[in-house]
Amino acid sequence: MKAHVWVMLKPTVLDPQGQTIQHALASLGYAQVKGVRQGKFFVLELNGLSREDAQKQVEKIAKDVLTNPVIEHFRYEIVE
Amino acid sequence: MKAHVWVMLKPTVLDPQGQTIQHALASLGYAQVKGVRQGKFFVLELNGLSREDAQKQVEKIAKDVLTNPVIEHFRYEIVE
């Protein structure tokens, strides 16, 4: 079973990496790009769990290990 | 209009960050997690483009700016 986890900076938190990319794109002529936010994406491979248990476990992992709750939020989905 | 871009290491490329996370999870008791791959996720905000033009432009940006084609591959989708 696979799980996808997205970890993004909260909307209120500045994203200097994203801003740098946006400025680089503007200087390359992509003026229509008005904003860039960069986040992290994780693919987890899970074995021997029911879909329900996988969901609980991935939520716990995302919350406790992959995300810094002060500045980031996450979402996840179980695939396959 | 918004676009999502995922940039991942190619499957043949080692992912030491992902491995580190997997080992950390194993030591925390998440033995069912058999693999972790970490990638990047971008949210682009685009203004004043048709869906078709946005698609072309995002594909070019993902290919030329966000991805290192030697070790990474990407996928994208136009949302909203």
Side-chain angles (χ1 to χ4, degrees), chain A:
Chain A
M1 198 171 281
K2 268 188 185 172
H4 291 169
V5 182
W6 290 259
V7 177
M8 300 295 292
L9 287 169
K10 288 180 180 173
T12 49
V13 177
L14 275 178
D15 179 0
Q17 254 184 314
Q19 283 177 346
T20 301
I21 294 167
Q22 189 194 340
H23 294 148
L25 289 174
S27 73
L28 289 168
Y30 297 105
Q32 292 94 341
V33 180
K34 294 301 178 198
V36 179
R37 304 282 290 178
Q38 181 172 352
K40 286 175 278 184
F41 178 65
F42 300 91
V43 180
L44 307 181
E45 191 94 43
L46 299 139
N47 270 4
L49 287 173
S50 69
R51 203 180 175 84
E52 209 176 304
D53 285 346
Q55 195 149 348
K56 274 186 209 153
Q57 200 152 114
V58 170
E59 178 152 2
K60 212 165 146 39
I61 288 170
K63 199 174 166 187
D64 296 347
V65 183
L66 303 177
T67 304
N68 174 352
V70 179
I71 56 167
E72 293 171 329
H73 60 139
F74 69 90
R75 70 187 176 87
Y76 69 93
E77 67 183 24
I78 307 292
V79 288
E80 288 169 29

Side-chain angles (χ1 to χ4, degrees), chain B residues 12-24:
Chain B
T12 50
V13 177
L14 275 179
D15 178 359
Q17 252 183 313
Q19 283 176 346
T20 301
I21 294 167
Q22 189 195 340
H23 293 148

Side-chain angles (χ1 to χ4, degrees), chain A residues 21 25 30 33, chain B residues 5 44 46 56-67:
Chain A
I21 294 167
L25 289 174
Y30 297 105
V33 180
Chain B
V5 182
L44 307 180
L46 299 138
K56 276 185 206 153
Q57 201 152 113
V58 170
E59 177 152 3
K60 211 165 148 35
I61 288 170
K63 199 174 165 187
D64 296 346
V65 183
L66 302 178
T67 305

